[in-house]
């Protein structure tokens, strides 16, 4: 990402330019006016057990989407609003500009693909399951809409799922046809064919190679090219069988941190409830907007944001498929809407600071600009046209294309310092929300103009939220703390063919128990403070929530990843830490003269291990951790925990049991030393 952060050196600024900027700053614009009173963002439902609801006025549905009841109708709505403007864009090669399909193009292609699926033997009904095993691309979107035009159900296979999980999904959902983008994925399926009784046909987006054809022949699987499927439908048109509001749109398998995947049943009604409620709050999205699509479409977050764009007539530009070239794609696309996750935003923050800190002069002037923008934020002023923006931040803003007006972040907490920093630097709305696959992606969301940090906003207008007591963790609803429980139209229908797991997450009154711990703040917004599911007890009887500790420790400049471990046979905590290579290398050279050392070599140096331990413990004290919540020993590991090595889920969550098993010997050794 370095090459995209070559913004002008602050040392080139003149005193006159700074004086001009100072004058302009005194002519600040009016603060942003939110749609609700930010001191009163949710209300307690009268006569009920502290259940909270939105205070959004019912008349504020700015997208006028009351006539949309399905995701197929949502595309029709977008086509009408945009007068069949651009819908799907992609780059044919790394040096090419974006090529676009209009709304009408996509509707025609989707109808043909749907008719082609029927000609291949797929029944146009809501019991027909179509698998898709692909990265984000226009074909993925077209297949999805084809399903909705003919009442079928889409079932994504995660790009990062192993063969066992893919086999399980195909068998459980009795999928007979899967659409693949690459020969590599086709081969993954065909090599497991003996375990997939239902699989008969694979539609491939690229030309099959000789190995694929050989495997297909030996396994009896029919391979059809995507363009052949579309042509087949064009030559054999079929009357549309549009989905209904209550129909299932997708069965979204969540990989989870343990066990086999669970298929969350998502409906058109549920997805639209979440989307329309969110667009009422994020009312700035319209036909002129374009988003970059790079987060996995197999997950609900990316899908949710896409629906927000096309229901408003906006455009979706797909990344080229290589995350390393994402910033190239962004530079060419110049998106106005940028859905993101903390991991990427943290990386962006680190790279900006690395450039700034390369010079004392740059650092000084940059901090002046940052302070001025932060002062405006405190007064509710958010902009990217101040003199500070023109002189200091403009080149940084160009790294996201230069016209970003909204960044959304979810899936994990974003550090308050990073959130505040990026709001200042990019001068655009950056809002956090909270939700799960089981809530169709979201149930709370910050209002535009709410400059708070560390909160996830009030309930959406489609959701009711209450907090349930967790006595063993000393959280009680009477003190406005407890497990987050949700009801509303955006709640999923249960887990596919898994009544046991469904009953585990719903109580007898129909509340979805999320497993996350929240706190109501005085202004009616929610703050995520803990996680219930992963708690464990130490030998002295103290309960530990490791994710709360990890969220504090991860703020250390030395830490790229950290895992906290403990159990009922031990009286203290230990941790596995993957250091930030760039930070640790510079620190080791400056403090101990260790030049050109690998991470593996630095991880063996007891001085560096002690310094990192001291730093995280210091952060723990600042974060008000109790002494028994502080880690007593760390093992430094040189390689990142990733999806590929099986230690992270496809949504970047830690597989806690797998991590503990992987580092069993290191954990055992730390306890042996501590217990001597």
């Amino acid at each position: 990402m370095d090459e995209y952060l070559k913004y002008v050196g602050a040392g080139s600024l003149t005193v006159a330019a700074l004086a001009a900027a100072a004058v302009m700053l005194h002519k600040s614009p009016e603060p942003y006016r939110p749609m609700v009173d930010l001191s009163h963002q949710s209300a307690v439902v009268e006569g009920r057990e502290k259940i909270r609801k939105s205070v959004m006025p019912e008349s504020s549905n700015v997208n006028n989407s009351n006539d949309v009841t399905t995701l197929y109708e949502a595309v029709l709505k977008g086509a009408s609003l945009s007068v069949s403007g651009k819908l799907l864009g992609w780059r044919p090669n790394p040096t090419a500009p974006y090529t676009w399909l209009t709304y009408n193009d996509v509707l025609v292609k989707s109808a043909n693909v749907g008719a082609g699926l029927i000609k291949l033997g797929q029944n146009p009904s809501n019991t027909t399951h179509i698998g898709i095993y692909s990265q984000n691309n226009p074909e993925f979107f077209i297949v999805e809409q084809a399903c909705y035009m003919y009442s079928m159900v889409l079932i994504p296979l995660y790009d990062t799922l192993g063969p066992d999980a893919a086999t399980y999904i195909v068998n459980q959902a009795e999928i007979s046809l899967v659409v693949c983008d690459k020969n590599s994925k086709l081969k993954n399926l065909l090599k497991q064919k003996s375990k997939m009784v239902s699989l008969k046909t694979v539609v491939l987006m690229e030309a099959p190679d000789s190995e694929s054809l050989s495997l297909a022949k030996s396994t009896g699987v029919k391979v059809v090219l995507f363009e052949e499927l579309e042509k087949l439908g064009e030559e054999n048109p079929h009357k549309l069988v549009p989905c209904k509001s209550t129909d299932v749109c997708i069965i979204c398998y969540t990989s989870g941190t343990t066990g086999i995947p669970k298929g969350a049943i998502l409906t058109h009604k549920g997805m639209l409830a979440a989307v329309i409620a969110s667009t009422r709050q994020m009312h700035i999205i319209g036909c002129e907007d374009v988003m970059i699509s790079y987060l996995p479409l197999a997950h609900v977050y990316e899908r949710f944001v896409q629906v927000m764009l096309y229901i408003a007539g906006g455009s979706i530009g797909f990344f080229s498929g290589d995350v390393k070239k994402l910033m190239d794609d962004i530079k060419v696309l110049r998106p106005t809407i940028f859905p993101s996750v903390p991991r990427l935003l943290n990386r962006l923050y680190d790279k900006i600071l690395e450039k700034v800190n390369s010079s004392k002069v740059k650092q000084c002037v940059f901090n002046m600009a940052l302070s001025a923008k932060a002062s405006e934020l405190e007064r509710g002023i958010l902009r990217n046209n101040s003199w500070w923006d023109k002189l200091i931040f403009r080149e940084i803003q160009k790294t996201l294309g230069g016209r970003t007006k909204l960044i959304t972040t979810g899936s994990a907490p974003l550090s308050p310092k990073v959130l505040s920093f990026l709001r200042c630097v990019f001068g655009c709305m950056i809002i956090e929300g909270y939700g799960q696959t089981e809530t169709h992606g979201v149930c709370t969301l910050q209002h535009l103009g709410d400059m708070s940090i560390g909160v996830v906003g009030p309930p959406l207008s489609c959701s009711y939220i209450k907090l349930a007591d967790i006595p063993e963790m000393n959280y009680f609803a009477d003190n406005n703390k407890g497990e987050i429980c949700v009801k509303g139209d955006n709640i999923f229908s249960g887990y596919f063919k898994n009544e046991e797991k469904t009953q585990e997450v719903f109580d007898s009154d129909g509340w979805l128990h999320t497993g996350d711990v929240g706190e109501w703040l005085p202004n009616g917004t929610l703050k995520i403070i803990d996680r219930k599911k992963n708690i464990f007890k130490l030998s002295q009887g103290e309960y530990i929530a490791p994710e709360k500790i990890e969220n504090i420790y991860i703020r250390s400049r030395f830490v790229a990843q950290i895992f906290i471990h403990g159990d009922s046979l031990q009286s203290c905590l230990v941790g596995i830490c993957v250091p930030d290579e760039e930070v640790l290398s510079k620190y080791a050279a400056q403090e101990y003269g260790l030049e050109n050392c690998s991470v593996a070599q630095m991880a063996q140096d007891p001085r560096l291990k002690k310094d990192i331990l001291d730093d995280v413990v210091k952060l723990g004290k600042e974060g008000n951790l109790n002494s028994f919540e502080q880690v007593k020993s760390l093992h430094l590991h040189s390689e990142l925990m990733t999806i590929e090595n099986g230690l992270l889920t496809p949504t970047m969550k830690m597989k806690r049991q797998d991590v503990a098993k992987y580092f069993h010997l290191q954990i055992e050794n730390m306890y042996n030393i501590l217990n001597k």
Side-chain angles (χ1 to χ4, degrees):
M1 193 179 288
D2 289 350
E3 62 267 45
Y4 305 103
L5 295 173
K6 293 176 180 176
Y7 48 84
V8 293
S12 64
L13 294 175
T14 64
V15 175
L18 286 175
V23 171
M24 290 298 294
L25 285 170
H26 285 293
K27 300 178 180 178
S28 296
E30 288 294 312
Y32 185 89
R33 298 189 182 279
M35 298 183 72
V36 299
D37 179 358
L38 294 182
S39 67
H40 179 66
Q41 298 188 42
S42 68
V44 177
V45 179
E46 228 175 294
R48 312 272 306 264
E49 44 177 330
K50 289 196 173 182
I51 298 167
R52 285 191 168 267
K53 66 175 184 178
S54 169
V55 295
M56 281 283 291
E58 289 297 325
S59 61
S60 62
N61 191 341
V62 296
N63 275 341
N64 191 26
S65 299
N66 291 328
D67 56 335
V68 174
T69 63
T70 68
L71 299 180
Y72 167 52
E73 291 176 357
V75 172
L76 294 178
K77 182 74 174 184
S80 173
L81 291 172
S82 70
V83 195
S84 193
K86 297 176 181 177
L87 174 51
L88 305 180
W90 74 100
R91 300 178 75 188
N93 61 67
T95 60
Y98 271 80
T99 298
W100 291 91
L101 292 174
T102 67
Y103 276 81
N104 283 349
D105 292 334
V106 172
L107 288 167
V108 170
K109 284 179 173 290
S110 298
N112 288 338
V113 166
L117 291 172
I118 294 169
K119 188 64 179 175
L120 288 176
Q122 302 300 308
N123 189 33
S125 79
N126 207 230
T127 59
T128 297
H129 299 156
I130 303 297
I132 187 161
Y133 195 7
S134 172
Q135 279 191 311
N136 302 16
N137 55 35
E139 291 84 357
F140 195 127
F141 189 100
I142 288 165
V143 170
E144 179 181 352
Q145 281 301 314
C147 288
Y148 302 158
M149 285 179 161
Y150 292 97
S151 297
M152 301 178 194
V153 179
L154 191 71
I155 302 185
L157 303 178
Y158 291 179
D159 192 28
T160 49
L161 277 181
D164 291 341
T167 300
Y168 174 82
I169 293 170
V170 169
N171 287 336
Q172 188 189 50
E174 299 177 73
I175 298 171
S176 64
L177 184 147
V178 175
V179 181
C180 286
D181 60 348
K182 303 287 184 185
N183 275 279
S184 57
K185 297 192 182 82
L186 170 60
K187 292 169 192 173
N188 287 342
L189 290 175
L190 294 178
K191 288 174 182 177
Q192 296 291 316
K193 174 61 180 79
S194 62
K195 302 176 184 177
M196 299 179 185
V197 179
S198 61
L199 183 63
K200 307 297 182 187
T201 307
V202 175
V203 176
L204 188 60
M205 297 178 195
E206 67 178 11
D209 59 29
S210 58
E211 185 184 355
S212 293
L213 290 173
S214 177
L215 276 170
K217 184 177 180 179
S218 65
T219 56
V221 172
K222 183 177 182 179
V223 176
V224 180
L225 287 177
F226 190 85
E227 56 261 35
E228 293 174 349
L229 173 68
E230 187 179 348
K231 186 177 180 181
L232 186 65
E234 185 179 7
E235 294 172 347
N236 298 274
H238 194 288
K239 182 181 178 181
L240 297 186
V241 186
C243 49
K244 301 184 294 295
S245 173
T246 53
D247 280 350
V248 178
C249 62
I250 241 173
I251 298 177
C252 191
Y253 278 84
T254 59
S255 58
T257 54
T258 61
I260 58 177
K262 302 187 300 259
I265 302 171
L266 306 183
T267 63
H268 291 271
K269 178 183 178 181
M271 182 62 77
L272 284 170
V275 166
I276 292 172
S278 298
T279 52
R280 293 175 66 201
Q281 292 188 200
M282 290 191 280
H283 53 86
I284 59 175
I285 299 176
C287 297
E288 73 286 354
D289 286 307
V290 57
M291 69 169 279
I292 178 74
S293 175
Y294 68 100
L295 299 172
L297 253 177
H299 305 319
V300 72
Y301 177 27
E302 172 73 10
R303 181 173 307 283
F304 165 82
V305 181
Q306 283 200 11
V307 180
M308 288 184 61
L309 262 289
Y310 67 71
I311 199 173
S315 307
I316 300 164
F318 294 97
F319 82 128
S320 58
D322 184 350
V323 176
K324 294 178 181 177
K325 297 177 181 176
L326 174 62
M327 301 308 290
D328 270 328
D329 297 328
I330 288 173
K331 193 173 183 180
V332 175
L333 183 65
R334 301 185 64 230
T336 60
I337 310 297
F338 182 52
S340 194
V341 291
R343 186 182 183 189
L344 182 61
L345 295 176
N346 287 335
R347 179 74 172 159
L348 195 60
Y349 167 82
D350 291 338
K351 288 300 181 182
I352 294 171
L353 279 189
E354 183 181 338
K355 288 287 185 179
V356 169
N357 294 336
S358 65
S359 159
K360 289 292 184 183
V361 176
K362 284 184 183 180
Q363 191 178 44
C364 178
V365 181
F366 186 90
N367 287 339
M368 287 175 60
L370 197 66
S371 177
K373 292 291 293 288
S375 178
E376 288 194 339
L377 278 182
E378 290 176 0
R379 304 197 304 275
I381 298 167
L382 183 68
R383 58 174 174 157
N384 61 5
N385 60 357
S386 71
W387 274 98
W388 292 120
D389 291 298
K390 295 173 182 177
L391 297 169
I392 305 294
F393 300 133
R394 184 64 73 229
E395 292 302 313
I396 302 176
Q397 292 164 5
K398 287 180 181 177
T399 63
L400 296 185
R403 57 174 188 165
T404 306
K405 68 180 186 183
L406 175 64
I407 297 174
T408 62
T409 178
S411 82
L414 180 63
S415 163
K417 69 177 180 181
V418 174
L419 177 58
S420 179
F421 178 92
L422 294 179
R423 279 176 177 166
C424 292
V425 167
F426 287 105
C428 70
M429 298 288 180
I430 304 179
I431 58 175
E432 291 191 273
Y434 166 75
Q436 302 176 325
T437 303
E438 291 82 355
T439 64
H440 288 81
V442 65
C443 58
T444 76
L445 188 67
Q446 279 188 294
H447 279 283
L448 299 182
D450 184 355
M451 306 304 175
S452 303
I453 55 177
V455 301
V456 293
L460 290 173
S461 57
C462 62
S463 299
Y464 291 93
I465 296 180
K466 72 171 185 176
L467 303 181
D469 292 345
I470 313 174
E472 66 270 24
M473 298 179 73
N474 203 31
Y475 292 132
F476 297 96
D478 283 345
N479 294 329
N480 290 316
K481 296 180 181 179
E483 183 182 8
I484 301 167
C485 302
V486 192
K487 265 188 181 182
D489 288 341
N490 61 323
I491 303 303
F492 82 135
S493 302
Y495 296 114
F496 184 65
K497 294 183 180 179
N498 200 333
E499 187 60 30
E500 180 184 352
K501 291 295 182 183
T502 300
Q503 290 182 3
E504 284 180 11
V505 296
F506 285 105
D507 64 23
S508 58
D509 293 323
W511 287 93
L512 172 70
H513 285 246
T514 65
D516 291 309
V517 182
E519 176 184 7
W520 290 119
L521 300 183
N523 65 352
T525 58
L526 190 66
K527 181 178 182 178
I528 310 300
I529 60 172
D530 215 333
R531 177 76 177 156
K532 179 184 177 184
K533 284 187 177 179
N534 293 320
I535 64 170
F536 53 80
K537 188 186 290 187
L538 293 177
S539 61
Q540 67 270 42
E542 300 288 0
Y543 282 96
I544 299 294
E547 287 169 326
K548 179 182 75 172
I549 302 168
E550 290 161 0
N551 286 336
I552 292 173
Y553 285 176
I554 198 67
R555 298 172 193 166
S556 168
R557 61 184 174 130
F558 296 114
V559 175
Q561 293 175 325
I562 194 159
F563 167 75
I564 300 301
H565 178 82
D567 62 53
S568 59
L569 300 178
Q570 302 291 343
S571 62
C572 64
L573 303 176
V574 296
I576 305 296
C577 172
V578 180
D580 185 299
E581 182 175 0
E582 292 180 14
V583 172
L584 192 60
S585 294
K586 290 179 180 178
Y587 179 82
Q590 291 171 358
E591 295 296 320
Y592 301 114
L594 300 176
E595 300 281 356
N596 302 317
C597 290
S598 67
V599 179
Q601 290 171 321
M602 291 186 288
Q604 300 303 315
D605 193 303
R607 298 170 298 179
L608 293 175
K609 183 184 294 188
K610 181 180 184 302
D611 289 348
I612 295 174
L613 180 62
D614 289 346
D615 194 58
V616 297
V617 169
K618 179 184 175 184
L619 285 169
K621 289 178 181 177
E622 293 171 358
N624 297 316
L625 293 181
N626 294 307
S627 60
F628 60 82
E629 293 177 297
Q630 293 274 32
V631 69
K632 294 298 186 288
S633 181
L634 284 178
H635 169 76
L636 302 188
H637 185 63
S638 59
E639 295 181 8
L640 285 169
M641 293 178 263
T642 66
I643 299 167
E644 289 71 25
N645 61 29
L647 301 180
L648 298 183
T649 73
T651 52
M652 310 309 294
K653 293 182 176 65
M654 205 175 288
K655 293 184 176 181
R656 306 196 71 85
Q657 289 186 8
D658 291 343
V659 174
K661 184 177 179 181
Y662 186 88
F663 291 105
H664 170 72
L665 292 177
Q666 291 86 349
I667 290 170
E668 189 176 81
N669 183 55
M670 283 188 282
Y671 277 126
N672 287 338
I673 293 172
L674 288 169
N675 293 331
K676 281 183 178 178

